Amino acid sequence: KQRELIALVCIVYGIIITLLGTYFITELQGNYVEDFHSYLSPLVLLVSMGVFVFIKSNYLRNGKIRFVRNIISKYGYGIYLLHILVLWLLGHVGINARLINPLVGIPLTVLCCVGLSALIIYGLNKLPYGKYIFG
């Protein structure tokens, strides 16, 4: 239970600092600053670790969540390889972080990207030798 609590604290702390830091630095400089949520930001690492530990924990006993976790785990390498292309395609049809509002756009983009990537990798794994190439 302590591990799940630490993971949740990391997630909440990372998100709050990212939101507040982005807001205040952007206000201070007068233009948008994305340093707090760039790929190499320590806060992104903190939130990612928290999410990983929380999902990996046995605390999630919901069968549907475990099913999704297992699919992502099984096809994770292929999803990783394909997700940039899927994000690019989603951006061309207007599904991105700026859809309606970032609070809606970001989760929707993540769900669409992971879902489509997993579906494509699932199909590619059905090809001969596909599982050896795409993971």
Side-chain angles (χ1 to χ4, degrees), residues 14-130:
I15 289 173
I16 289 173
I17 298 300
T18 299
L19 291 173
L20 293 176
T22 300
Y23 175 77
F24 287 120
I25 297 297
T26 297
E27 286 292 317
L28 185 66
Q29 292 191 1
N31 58 350
Y32 180 67
V33 177
E34 64 179 35
D35 295 343
F36 286 92
H37 53 83
S38 67
Y39 290 114
L40 300 176
S41 166
L43 294 169
V44 170
L45 177 64
L46 183 67
V47 173
S48 299
M49 288 186 322
V51 169
F52 177 80
V53 169
F54 187 75
I55 290 176
K56 187 178 182 298
S57 72
N58 291 327
Y59 182 71
L60 297 174
R61 290 176 170 56
N62 184 325
K64 292 177 184 176
I65 293 175
R66 271 189 293 150
F67 174 76
V68 171
R69 179 190 66 185
N70 292 342
I71 292 293
I72 292 172
S73 176
K74 182 176 182 178
Y75 299 121
Y77 178 66
I79 292 170
Y80 169 73
L81 292 176
L82 188 64
H83 85 280
I84 294 297
L85 177 61
V86 172
L87 279 175
W88 180 76
L89 292 171
L90 287 172
H92 278 296
V93 297
I95 299 174
N96 58 36
R98 291 178 289 283
L99 180 70
I100 303 170
N101 183 323
L103 291 174
V104 174
I106 293 172
L108 182 65
T109 303
V110 169
L111 290 174
C112 288
C113 181
V114 172
L116 285 172
S117 297
L119 192 61
I120 292 168
I121 295 301
Y122 173 79
L124 290 172
N125 278 340
K126 295 299 178 186
L127 296 173
Y129 301 105

